[in-house]
Amino acid sequence: MLSRFLPARGPARTLTGITLVHTMGQGLWMALNAIYATTVLHLTPGQFGIGVGIAAGVALAVSTPTGHLADRIGPRAVQIWSFVALGPLTAALLAVQGFGMYVLVVCVQAVAYSASRSARMAMVAGLIPPEDRVVVRAHLRATGNISVSVGAALAGMLLAFDSVSAYKAAVVFNASTYLITGLLSLLLPAVEPQPARPGPALIVLRDRPYLTFVVLDGLLSMHNLLLDVVLPLWILHHTNAPRWMIAAILLTNTVAVVLLQVRAARGTDEPPAAAKASRSGSLCLALACVVFALTGGASAVLACVLLLVGALAHVLGEIRQSAGSWGMSFGLAPEHAQGQYQGTYAMGSDMGKMIAPALLTWLAIEHGTVGWMAMAVGFALVGCTMPFLVNWARRSAEQPAPDPVAA
């Protein structure tokens, strides 16, 4: 029965097992990160926010160079050493004293994490045939959702103890998952490094269609913050729905992603099909925003029904948009530079995460129905540009490259 939810035996299944271990630590730490910083390290919430923001900026800045490093020396080596490095770097939080040391540790962590992320996607590109990459990526996301939920449940148990020792144990657990992930990466076949080529090293920075895709995809990826940040505030302050609906919606989303993500990803391995999937996903997201807008002022029962309908529309949009995003990220990238292209692709979602909480909360909480409608229009318009973007990228790829020797 478990095999039905796992990819075929081989590198894809090994990648899935590695993801399960890695994301369990992530799920635990996402729930406890802020609490550890403010309770154990005695940072103020403002200092914690500044530290996280600086680290996010560092990860953003090094994402493309670390992806290029994965291309040049091989993604498996980068994945192994970055995860092995993340073990002691995470454990270093146990010795942090003061805000300055905290910022230094999380910034170095951000470099290693950025390298591991770029390498993991380059491993998918290097080990999996092009026609299977999106489906494997979907397996990784579905199993990752399960593992993150387990990690969050473990965090809940530690929160029940509410002690410094429990929070320090969480740091040790998270550090150990990184080390285990690095060691498990030894089970993966090696991907041949790419030799140096004439011309600029970071060719992705000259690929205007791909960079445009990264920005637009980052805007679409802001929907990931709707359920985590915006909707809970909306339910609490603008609807008559009970508080438990927040948990019900998050549970619905998690279960739906686990059950449907792989199926939704089939047939999206080519960029034109992936662009259509992203477009249909964006329209579902727009519909979800419209339904969420209707919950303001509705009765408790009607609000609950509408919230569940909106949550279902949102998750359908999420899994289709994600599948389309992966298909374009792999399909629009040249095979010899998948590392730097996947590293650059990840920058889009990073930028979306940085601006989404403030922007989407301002739209929904401050402007109500008008804000939700603005979000709906925005998601729809961005998604509908994806087929045109793919056509532009394919026309650009067909143009002969300039001769670097002649230049």
Side-chain angles (χ1 to χ4, degrees):
M1 183 178 296
L2 185 61
S3 297
R4 297 172 57 189
F5 298 97
L6 294 174
R9 291 183 181 275
R13 186 169 290 190
T14 305
L15 284 167
T16 303
I18 291 171
T19 300
L20 283 170
V21 176
H22 167 54
T23 51
M24 186 180 299
Q26 278 192 318
L28 174 77
W29 192 242
M30 282 190 297
L32 297 178
N33 188 12
I35 295 173
Y36 182 85
T38 55
T39 302
V40 180
L41 302 182
H42 305 294
L43 301 181
T44 66
Q47 288 176 324
F48 169 71
I50 292 172
V52 171
I54 294 174
V58 170
L60 196 68
V62 302
S63 191
T64 300
T66 55
H68 177 60
L69 181 66
D71 289 327
R72 290 299 307 277
I73 70 174
R76 191 181 76 154
V78 174
Q79 178 169 318
I80 291 171
W81 287 110
S82 58
F83 276 123
V84 169
L86 278 168
L89 287 173
T90 300
L93 290 171
L94 297 172
V96 164
Q97 294 181 346
F99 175 64
M101 188 181 295
Y102 174 76
V103 172
L104 176 63
V105 169
V106 295
C107 284
V108 179
Q109 278 183 316
V111 175
Y113 177 78
S114 178
S116 72
R117 182 177 59 181
S118 299
R120 278 183 289 133
M121 292 305 98
M123 287 294 290
V124 173
L127 296 176
I128 309 301
E131 64 273 13
D132 296 329
R133 289 171 184 168
V134 177
V135 171
V136 169
R137 188 74 171 81
H139 277 292
L140 297 181
R141 182 164 190 256
T143 53
N145 265 30
I146 297 174
S147 190
V148 166
S149 300
V150 173
L154 292 174
M157 295 171 59
L158 292 176
L159 285 169
F161 289 99
D162 190 25
S163 67
V164 171
S165 298
Y167 298 142
K168 288 186 175 181
V171 174
V172 174
F173 180 86
N174 193 31
S176 66
T177 61
Y178 283 128
L179 289 173
I180 293 171
T181 301
L183 295 176
L184 288 175
S185 298
L186 292 169
L187 301 176
L188 291 167
V191 176
E192 289 297 321
Q194 295 292 331
R197 295 171 180 260
L202 302 180
I203 59 173
V204 66
L205 300 182
R206 297 174 178 235
D207 192 335
R208 289 184 294 172
Y210 198 88
L211 293 177
T212 304
F213 157 68
V214 169
V215 173
L216 295 178
D217 186 73
L219 293 175
L220 278 182
S221 72
M222 291 195 299
H223 70 77
N224 291 311
L225 279 297
L226 281 178
L227 299 192
D228 295 338
V229 177
V230 181
L231 202 58
L233 295 174
W234 175 258
I235 291 173
L236 289 175
H237 300 293
H238 292 270
T239 76
N240 295 313
R243 292 170 179 257
W244 54 261
M245 278 301 298
I246 298 172
I249 289 172
L250 292 174
L251 180 62
T252 299
N253 179 270
T254 300
V255 173
V257 169
V258 171
L259 296 178
L260 301 176
Q261 182 66 82
V262 175
R263 179 172 296 183
R266 293 194 176 105
T268 60
D269 47 285
E270 292 293 332
K276 292 178 181 178
S278 189
R279 179 180 61 189
S280 63
S282 71
L283 295 177
C284 288
L285 293 171
L287 175 62
C289 291
V290 172
V291 175
F292 290 145
L294 298 177
T295 60
S299 66
V301 174
L302 180 58
C304 289
V305 172
L306 289 174
L307 285 169
L308 286 176
V309 172
L312 290 174
H314 178 276
V315 76
L316 290 175
E318 176 183 348
I319 59 179
R320 286 295 286 171
Q321 187 273 326
S322 296
S325 174
W326 302 327
M328 286 184 282
S329 74
F330 286 124
L332 297 179
E335 288 300 309
H336 68 272
Q338 284 285 354
Q340 64 172 280
Y341 270 72
Q342 297 310 313
T344 305
Y345 161 69
M347 292 171 63
S349 61
D350 285 343
M351 290 186 290
K353 290 175 184 176
M354 290 175 69
I355 65 176
L359 176 61
L360 300 187
T361 301
W362 176 73
L363 285 171
I365 306 304
E366 298 296 329
H367 299 281
T369 300
V370 174
W372 282 111
M373 294 302 178
M375 277 189 267
V377 172
F379 284 134
L381 287 178
V382 173
C384 288
T385 64
M386 289 302 183
F388 301 100
L389 177 64
V390 167
N391 290 334
W392 176 28
R394 299 183 82 176
R395 288 196 304 270
S396 298
E398 291 170 357
Q399 294 177 358
D403 186 351
V405 177

